[in-house]
Amino acid sequence: MLDIKIYRTTEPKQKPTGALGFGKIFTDHMFIMNYTEGKGWHDPRIEPYHNLSLAPSAMVFHYGQEMFEGLKAYKGVDGKNYLFRPDMNAKRTNETNKRLCIPYLPEEDFVQAVKAVVKVDEDWIPTEPGTSLYIRPFIIATDEFLGVAPSKTYLFMVILSPSGAYYSSGLEPVGIWIEDDYVRAVKGGMGFAKTGGNYACSLAGQVKAHNDNYSQVLWLDGVHRKYIEEVGSMNIMFKIDGKIVTPALNGSILPGITRNSVIQICKDKGIPVEERQISVDELLEAQKSGKLEEVFGTGTAAVVSPVGKLRYKDDVMTIGDGSIGKVCQMLYDTVTGIQLGKLEDKYGWRVEVK
Ligand code: COI
């Protein structure tokens, strides 16, 4: 159990009014804890949200040894504050840490840190429909050294951002660009890890997609360039001929917590789910034969987001009638219903922040 010291701000900020957007506004406090080789994680504390002072030689700036997570806090319909499956984020943190040679962070310490800072800033949890307090835990390498090696010192921090929908279009279906030139990850690389490099690597494809008025990029596998992997900020699912089909966790895609939850919900509702390889040709054929019924993404930030259009080279696949599909809507309602306590949580996914 961490002994977290709390230093409260004497200058609380004005709470936002109006549209929040995503990840633009930050609360009054942050959690911060140091790691030093030989000493372990130490000095857990909550401080006023502030800028960091780091040496320009700090290793994170040069070789990107860092990780991050994303989860959300909600104001439940009973007025209590909840997290959604924070244990899964804690576990994934250590899967990422192992790949990036970042020290193990005890999972109970991760969850305790998140709960503690959310509790201090609980008044920042927004209550408008579709909003939540987005939580960004992250770890950076801080040694002052230009050699390529794992750092011996780190900072673990948790910052909080009251946010609305990730896509400004909300639940309006988005257009997705299937990238046929750049690749995001290969097996044996770090595609499964939640680390900045995977997202930096996605930017050039994203710029191309934006220039053509598509919101996001769908990545193909890095070897054959024909199997579907994931979208920049979410996992992807297809409803083909009554079944939900989604790429299997093969080492190069992110093991999404919303992905895992949605698969469980579908199975419980009797909707067949296949986790397997899906080629872009299979999608094109399914669309031509009218069997591609729905496409949607799943992610903490994106929740469950409908896709209305997929572009691959010269083909543009229009999905459904331009409105959100029935299964996508049901999954959005079920996931958010459990998160907010509107629906029974038979899985034990909701965790109260006390
Ligand atoms: C999340 O869904 O929490 C993510 O980390 C995606 C992010 C890149 C916005």
Side-chain angles (χ1 to χ4, degrees), residues 1 3 19 31 54 69 71 95 152 163 182 216 219 228 284 315 348:
M1 180 98 173
D3 179 18
F31 175 89
L54 288 175
E69 269 299 328
L71 67 163
E95 281 153 19
K152 295 181 172 55
S163 292
Y182 297 119
Q216 286 277 316
W219 299 101
I228 305 291
L284 287 166
D315 283 301

Side-chain angles (χ1 to χ4, degrees), residues 22 68-71 92 134 136 166 194 199 232-234 299-302:
F22 175 83
F68 74 93
E69 269 299 328
L71 67 163
R92 193 170 61 185
Y134 185 78
R136 174 53 61 87
Y166 185 71
K194 218 152 166 59
Y199 296 81
S233 57
M234 53 189 194
T300 296

Side-chain angles (χ1 to χ4, degrees), residues 209-334:
H210 282 176
N211 287 344
D212 222 5
N213 282 327
Y214 286 82
S215 308
Q216 286 277 316
V217 175
L218 176 57
W219 299 101
L220 296 178
D221 78 280
V223 177
H224 310 281
R225 312 254 181 130
K226 68 176 202 182
Y227 297 108
I228 305 291
E229 297 246 299
E230 67 172 65
V231 177
S233 57
M234 53 189 194
N235 294 113
I236 190 88
M237 302 204 173
F238 306 95
K239 180 163 173 259
I240 303 177
D241 205 13
K243 292 182 199 146
I244 299 298
V245 186
T246 192
L249 298 179
N250 58 3
S252 56
I253 68 173
L254 191 83
I257 295 163
T258 312
R259 174 189 181 280
N260 174 288
S261 310
V262 156
I263 290 174
Q264 179 77 54
I265 293 166
C266 284
K267 287 183 177 166
D268 287 354
K269 293 202 181 275
I271 304 171
V273 181
E274 292 179 0
E275 293 178 69
R276 61 168 171 84
Q277 263 190 344
I278 313 156
S279 69
V280 70
D281 292 338
E282 178 182 343
L283 280 189
L284 287 166
E285 266 167 43
Q287 203 255 351
K288 281 189 190 124
S289 63
K291 290 184 177 163
L292 183 57
E293 295 155 356
E294 290 187 38
V295 181
F296 51 89
T298 62
T300 296
V303 196
V304 182
S305 287
V307 175
K309 194 166 71 164
L310 287 169
R311 164 270 173 205
Y312 177 63
K313 296 186 177 170
D314 294 330
D315 283 301
V316 175
M317 298 174 248
T318 305
I319 322 297
D321 61 5
S323 62
I324 181 168
K326 280 204 179 73
V327 171
C328 180
Q329 182 75 61
M330 177 280 287
L331 290 168
Y332 178 85
D333 292 343
T334 309

Side-chain angles (χ1 to χ4, degrees), residues 5-124:
K5 302 264 178 304
I6 301 180
Y7 305 96
R8 286 180 190 269
T9 183
T10 51
E11 291 168 17
K13 291 185 270 197
Q14 198 82 41
K15 304 272 187 319
T17 53
L20 296 171
F22 175 83
K24 294 181 179 164
I25 299 163
F26 298 94
T27 64
D28 281 328
H29 297 90
M30 63 194 281
F31 175 89
I32 181 159
M33 176 161 74
N34 299 69
Y35 178 91
T36 310
E37 196 177 70
K39 190 169 174 187
W41 292 104
H42 60 94
D43 292 315
R45 57 212 185 266
I46 291 171
E47 297 180 345
Y49 182 89
H50 61 82
N51 291 347
L52 301 175
S53 170
L54 288 175
S57 57
M59 292 181 81
V60 65
F61 296 134
H62 304 277
Y63 310 120
Q65 196 194 8
E66 73 91 43
M67 66 75 54
F68 74 93
E69 269 299 328
L71 67 163
K72 286 175 174 173
Y74 311 84
K75 182 70 73 188
V77 287
D78 58 3
K80 296 180 181 163
N81 302 322
Y82 293 103
L83 303 172
F84 185 70
R85 310 187 77 184
D87 51 309
M88 295 278 280
N89 297 91
K91 195 161 161 278
R92 193 170 61 185
T93 292
N94 283 316
E95 281 153 19
T96 301
N97 285 7
K98 195 166 166 206
R99 182 65 183 82
L100 274 289
C101 297
I102 295 172
Y104 177 81
L105 175 65
E107 286 159 27
E108 59 281 12
D109 293 353
F110 175 101
V111 175
Q112 191 194 343
V114 167
K115 282 183 173 172
V117 68
V118 169
K119 181 73 194 156
V120 168
D121 275 343
E122 64 183 342
D123 290 350
W124 285 83

